[in-house]
Amino acid sequence: MTTNTTKNTGGPDNSGNGNSGNGNSGNGKNSSNTSTTAKTPANAPTATLPLPATAARIAVLAGSATALIGTFLAWTWTTAFPGNLTVTGYPGGLQVVTLTGAALTLLLALSSHGIRGLGWLTPGGTNSPVLLLSLGVLGTTGYTMGAIAEHLGGIVNLEPGAWISGIGALIATIGALGLPSDLPADEPHAGPWQRLRHSLKAPAPQRAKTLPDWVEILIIAAAFGIGLYVLAYGIEAYSELFIGFLITTILGATALNRAGLIPRLNTLTAKHRNVTLTAAIIAAAMFPFTQSDASYALIGVNILIFATVALGLNVVVGLAGLLDLGYVAFLGVGAYTAALVSGSPASPFDVHFPFWAAVLAGAAASLAFGVIIGAPTLRLRGDYLAIVTLGFGEIFRITMNNLNGSAGPDLTNGAQGIPNIPDLEILGWNLGIEHEVLGFTLSRPANYYLLMLFFTAVVVLAFRRSGESRIGRAWVAIREDETAATAMGINGFRVKLIAFALGATLAGFAGTVQAHVSYSITPEQYLFANTVPPNSAFLLAAVILGGMGTISGPLIGAALLYLIPAKLQFLEDYQLLLFGLALILLMRFRPEGLVANKRAQLEYHETDQLDVPDQQKLPEGTVGASKAGA
């Protein structure tokens, strides 16, 4: 790696002040030392481990290739471990995850070495992505070896393939630690921890060659296709396989971000916004056709419900800056309204609205409750508003529990809820039965997934149009400084009430579908905090961790917060511990969220945007300060 030599500016002019006065400039010995220092600048990027750069690159290449070869050999002798790692010549289970990580590490290492045709893989950082991916391969391989030993009763159950991949991953990681750092030249003495933190930062990719529009559109389509495949693989993954998949995916995505590929893709998607939105909807619509098990499609529809409600909360929290801790109640209002008017035998109303009428009824009821609750409470600010909304969420749940004919009118059947909600039928298409489409069988969850995808697209459109409108700019002004916004003529109460009402309406839309998907609804589904989403705490976490004020942020955050707990159920008592640890790490290294807007990045990384010079001390004997330029 080429190192930059820069002039030492750590103090006053050495040629005319301190050193010449002490006679050092005439000392031959000192002059010789200065010459030696110039050959190897003190501020040149150094490696974390004291390895020659050539040896480090060879170690990375050899270790990655060894780890890749080991995946084609058996890792254990019995099929009792999930994934069938006993076949030679045909990787399976966690071997596929290790194979993918090792192959990506090898490609990025070759790209950083300057191989022609691979330079486009690293438009930003070069060596930090290799380090992150090698850590991912080592983590996945090491976890797999430990899981096999724990599951089968000792390391004696490991076959040579596991040892070969594990040793190769370790060699690649040691070599990656010996590569020159991507740190700027003014940070010469940063330790391993500082270098690892720097490797998590996304650089500004170099200016790319201008491509034709059709090529850029193909790149966007390919990116969404890869994303669909990764998501489908993660949903199908189970127990130990999912943890290995999670390790490789997190570190792999961070490596691609550090390499500059993801920032460059973001540039293309910002340029072709309508194409990006269309490609995202098409990729999401293809998901049911990639699943052979109805349970995976059910996970998909629940993710969409959770994500849609989180996007509605993003209007209130992300755009208007109102902390709502009882938002799940609006989801419950829409669900109960749809259940009462959709012909359930447990409903006291002998009505059976068509689908569109039930949806409008649920949305209208949520809108009404949003206005009723927001009108007297939105004059409060900060923590006081949060406490009131938290109380509203609990009041809703308790009220639904008491409308059982004993403590109150017989309306919601109390704690038993409203069961036997009939399936929807739209234009003669019964969503409760299987259908054959283009040779694929769409199960009941797949039918509801496609319906919920339509609602998600509607909510995304409503969020996007409102955020870019005049009222959306007023929300942002209120969020940043309500006093200043009011002084500029914005009616703060009216603007906040509109945000509250719109967020409630969007949640009501999702609630109407949730009632039919789950067959029955009960008050306990709408708690403030629970291990099973959706609930208010998880919804708020999805918005914050995904990225407040963005469209894709809450969708990604909701998908992760729903999928990870569902896949970690086999950990039992350790599930919440690991989940909490992951949230702490994410908030430490990515406080602005997974998908952050420019304003959030500037707020949370203010010092990263400025080139602040080091404080310089005056020479000894200097009194006072001279005027600039004197």
Side-chain angles (χ1 to χ4, degrees):
M1 177 178 177
T2 304
T3 58
N4 297 324
T5 58
T6 58
K7 183 178 179 180
N8 185 2
T9 58
D13 188 359
N14 295 334
S15 62
N17 242 348
N19 291 342
S20 60
N22 294 333
N24 290 341
S25 61
N27 190 321
K29 183 177 180 180
N30 289 343
S31 300
S32 175
N33 291 341
T34 304
S35 176
T36 303
T37 304
K39 293 180 181 178
T40 306
N43 56 2
T46 57
T48 304
L49 294 181
L51 292 177
T54 303
R57 296 187 189 281
I58 293 175
V60 172
L61 294 173
S64 302
T66 302
L68 189 149
I69 293 172
T71 60
F72 290 90
L73 302 175
W75 282 17
T76 185
W77 60 274
T78 174
T79 58
F81 186 81
N84 190 11
L85 309 182
T86 64
V87 181
T88 298
Y90 188 82
L94 282 163
Q95 290 174 318
V96 177
V97 179
T98 301
L99 171 65
T100 304
L104 286 175
T105 305
L106 197 60
L107 286 174
L108 290 183
L110 291 173
S111 175
S112 65
H113 193 58
I115 302 298
R116 287 182 63 87
L118 295 178
W120 61 273
L121 288 173
T122 53
T126 54
N127 295 326
S128 295
V130 175
L131 173 60
L132 290 168
L133 269 174
S134 61
L135 286 172
V137 175
L138 180 63
T140 302
T141 308
Y143 166 76
T144 305
M145 296 174 68
I148 291 174
E150 191 276 334
H151 191 82
L152 300 180
I155 61 174
V156 69
N157 296 283
L158 293 171
E159 291 292 316
W163 292 107
I164 292 174
S165 291
I167 294 173
L170 180 60
I171 293 174
T173 303
I174 294 175
L177 290 172
L179 292 174
S181 173
D182 288 336
L183 281 170
D186 58 349
E187 299 183 34
H189 304 297
W193 177 249
Q194 287 79 4
R195 292 196 178 101
L196 182 59
R197 286 184 58 192
H198 176 78
S199 67
L200 299 176
K201 299 177 183 178
Q206 300 173 1
R207 182 178 296 275
K209 182 188 299 184
T210 303
L211 299 174
D213 288 344
W214 65 271
V215 176
E216 295 178 345
I217 292 173
L218 286 180
I219 293 174
I220 294 173
F224 277 102
I226 295 173
L228 173 63
Y229 177 80
V230 172
L231 177 62
Y233 188 89
I235 289 180
E236 291 181 352
Y238 47 86
S239 60
E240 289 85 357
L241 177 58
F242 181 76
I243 292 188
F245 165 81
L246 202 60
I247 294 173
T248 300
T249 302
I250 292 175
L251 288 175
T254 308
L256 295 179
N257 190 46
R258 187 64 185 86
L261 287 178
I262 293 180
R264 181 162 291 179
L265 178 63
N266 291 338
T267 302
L268 295 181
T269 56
K271 179 180 178 181
H272 305 281
R273 298 182 62 183
N274 293 330
V275 173
T276 301
L277 184 59
T278 303
I281 294 175
I282 293 175
M286 296 300 296
F287 170 76
F289 300 97
T290 65
Q291 304 300 310
S292 57
D293 193 332
S295 61
Y296 300 145
L298 182 60
I299 292 177
V301 68
N302 285 325
I303 287 176
L304 281 183
I305 292 173
F306 189 20
T308 303
V309 180
L311 194 58
L313 178 60
N314 197 25
V315 175
V316 180
V317 176
L319 294 182
L322 306 174
L323 183 56
D324 189 349
L325 298 181
Y327 187 75
V328 75
F330 298 120
L331 175 69
V333 170
Y336 266 98
T337 303
L340 291 173
V341 301
S342 293
S344 171
S347 173
F349 307 112
D350 188 17
V351 294
H352 190 171
F353 285 6
F355 165 69
W356 62 269
V359 170
L360 292 179
S366 297
L367 171 63
F369 271 86
V371 174
I372 293 173
I373 299 301
T377 61
L378 287 179
R379 299 185 186 278
L380 302 174
R381 299 186 186 183
D383 298 339
Y384 300 101
L385 177 62
I387 293 173
V388 170
T389 55
L390 175 62
F392 164 65
E394 290 301 300
I395 290 172
F396 168 78
R397 182 181 61 83
I398 295 172
T399 301
M400 296 299 104
N401 217 358
N402 290 336
L403 296 180
N404 54 6
S406 176
D410 187 9
L411 186 62
T412 64
N413 205 22
Q416 301 301 319
I418 302 178
N420 301 323
I421 301 174
D423 285 309
L424 293 173
E425 185 171 344
I426 304 174
L427 300 177
W429 185 283
N430 192 330
L431 274 64
I433 61 177
E434 294 182 349
H435 297 276
E436 293 289 336
V437 177
L438 301 176
F440 294 92
T441 301
L442 291 180
S443 60
R444 177 183 182 273
N447 294 329
Y448 279 102
Y449 173 88
L450 294 175
L451 175 65
M452 194 61 225
L453 180 61
F454 171 76
F455 278 93
T456 303
V458 172
V459 172
V460 168
L461 181 62
F463 180 89
R464 178 181 172 185
R465 299 297 295 175
S466 61
E468 295 176 349
S469 65
R470 181 172 178 269
I471 192 69
R473 294 191 293 271
W475 287 337
V476 174
I478 290 290
R479 181 191 67 192
E480 296 302 320
D481 193 328
E482 184 174 351
T483 303
T486 303
M488 296 299 294
I490 296 177
N491 188 332
F493 172 75
R494 183 176 64 88
V495 167
K496 291 190 291 184
L497 185 61
I498 292 174
F500 215 70
L502 178 60
T505 304
L506 298 181
F509 272 118
T512 58
V513 179
Q514 185 208 24
H516 292 87
V517 171
S518 59
Y519 281 123
S520 62
I521 54 174
T522 61
E524 299 306 315
Q525 295 177 352
Y526 307 104
L527 297 170
F528 167 72
N530 194 14
T531 56
V532 180
N535 53 73
S536 294
F538 265 56
L539 290 170
L540 187 61
V543 173
I544 295 175
L545 297 179
M548 292 190 298
T550 63
I551 294 178
S552 57
L555 299 179
I556 295 175
L560 292 177
L561 289 181
Y562 186 91
L563 186 60
I564 292 176
K567 292 296 182 178
L568 297 183
Q569 290 180 356
F570 72 99
L571 293 177
E572 298 177 351
D573 295 338
Y574 296 100
Q575 176 183 350
L576 291 179
L577 174 64
L578 295 177
F579 183 67
L581 179 62
L583 294 183
I584 292 174
L585 292 175
L586 184 60
M587 294 303 294
R588 174 63 183 85
F589 293 106
R590 190 78 177 177
E592 70 272 22
L594 296 175
V595 182
N597 55 29
K598 295 297 183 183
R599 183 186 297 273
Q601 288 179 333
L602 290 173
E603 289 177 355
Y604 286 103
H605 301 282
E606 182 178 357
T607 57
D608 297 343
Q609 314 298 326
L610 303 176
D611 186 13
V612 182
D614 296 334
Q615 294 293 331
Q616 300 180 2
K617 296 181 179 180
L618 293 173
E620 294 182 5
T622 303
V623 179
S626 60
K627 185 181 284 188

